[in-house]
Amino acid sequence: MTTAPATHAAFNTNQRKHTAMTALGADFYKMCEANRDGSYATQAGRLTTLNQIADIFHAAGLKVRSARGLKQRHTDKLISAIQHLAPATQKNIMAHYRWALKKAGKDGMLPDRNADLGIPDRHSSGENKAITLDMEAVERMTCDHAKMSVRLMAAFGLRREEAIKIRPNMADQGDHLTLHGPWTKGGKAREIPIVSERQRALLDEAKALVGNGALIPDDKNYKKQRERLEDQTRRHAGMKGKHGLRHKYAQVRYHMLTGWKCPKDGGPVKLTPAQQRLDAQVRQELSRELGHERPEITKDYLG
């Protein structure tokens, strides 16, 4: 799960600044070094968050030297310290904390559901954030790799990082794409079905462009290509954000799998019992395709 240090700026405002890392912080550092799960961004965000958690405990006078020494009182203090933050931020923090507890063999300390910790669900906006890719605008982009990344985002619902790091030859399994852990948010591998000739043609075009490599030119690394993608989409295609492409993908897939449009796309809000059962199955499937663990997250995309 990606959590940039800036995301948790408020998380650090009321904490003491330390000139040296706490003992627990040092233990968290060793844990992160030994377990490089997820993308580089995920790893960096995890270490930042865990250090801030260690500082919370230190400032509260809760002495603990290692993750194995964490107890319920530490969790209670953490939840109290972050309750003023947005629900999505609280969930990101708890995801990193859960990761550390699991590595320390203490994953039974926390319930599976954040709601059981008093962390509210993220409320879905009624706004339809779906955007359709403007191919004329895309053609104005001057980097072929960036063009292809954006087209793959629209065709398969990929995140930006996935659309840059994907190795099309490795991902193509005939009737589906396999996204490998190093390419994905949180390091969770997943599969996305290939259901149209348009998707197949695009994937073959991507393979012809990069051979066995990723969608990163030889003269760039991931960070530089991400910056180039942002510049190209903003300057040439007029796109400030691209997450709406995932919303559009989810809505098109929902229509394909159910036979009716989702609520955010003007579809029915009230469903028959049979429709409700199919709706639940499709949301579960779309949750997996989009790389989420819970079908509830599809409310953001579908309503």
Side-chain angles (χ1 to χ4, degrees), residues 76-111:
D76 293 341
K77 181 61 185 177
L78 176 60
I79 294 170
S80 175
I82 67 174
Q83 63 183 355
H84 66 288
L85 301 176
T89 303
Q90 292 184 55
K91 289 176 181 180
N92 281 340
I93 293 168
M94 295 310 296
H96 293 311
Y97 187 56
R98 273 194 178 88
W99 178 91
L101 289 176
K102 183 176 181 179
K103 297 301 181 183
K106 302 181 74 72
D107 45 324
M109 184 185 296
L110 286 178

Side-chain angles (χ1 to χ4, degrees), residues 98-136:
R98 273 194 178 88
W99 178 91
L101 289 176
K102 183 176 181 179
K103 297 301 181 183
K106 302 181 74 72
D107 45 324
M109 184 185 296
L110 286 178
D112 293 333
R113 298 173 65 249
N114 283 314
D116 294 335
L117 297 171
I119 298 175
D121 287 332
R122 177 172 57 185
H123 295 292
S124 172
S125 164
E127 176 190 359
N128 186 358
K129 298 177 182 178
I131 58 174
T132 300
L133 193 62
D134 181 347
M135 284 305 300
E136 288 187 8

Side-chain angles (χ1 to χ4, degrees), residues 215-262:
L215 282 165
I216 303 174
D218 292 339
D219 63 337
K220 294 284 186 292
N221 57 26
Y222 166 70
K223 182 179 178 181
K224 291 296 184 182
Q225 182 60 14
R226 183 185 65 196
E227 293 171 353
R228 174 187 276 183
L229 176 63
E230 288 303 304
D231 176 69
Q232 291 262 310
T233 53
R234 182 175 57 253
R235 192 149 50 94
H236 297 294
M239 297 173 65
K240 292 183 179 179
K242 291 165 285 300
H243 199 70
L245 297 173
R246 273 166 62 83
H247 285 253
K248 185 65 175 180
Y249 171 86
Q251 292 176 13
V252 170
R253 282 288 288 154
Y254 181 90
H255 192 183
M256 181 186 301
L257 293 169
T258 63
W260 62 84
K261 292 184 177 181
C262 67

Side-chain angles (χ1 to χ4, degrees), residues 172-188:
D172 186 2
Q173 300 299 311
D175 62 348
H176 68 273
L177 290 183
T178 295
L179 297 184
H180 297 270
W183 311 338
T184 67
K185 182 178 181 179
K188 298 183 180 71

Side-chain angles (χ1 to χ4, degrees), residues 16-41:
R16 276 172 50 189
K17 301 295 188 297
H18 303 295
T19 56
M21 186 180 293
T22 65
L24 178 59
D27 189 58
F28 281 149
Y29 179 83
K30 292 177 183 176
M31 182 182 290
C32 290
E33 285 289 295
N35 300 277
R36 294 190 169 276
D37 305 344
S39 67
Y40 292 127

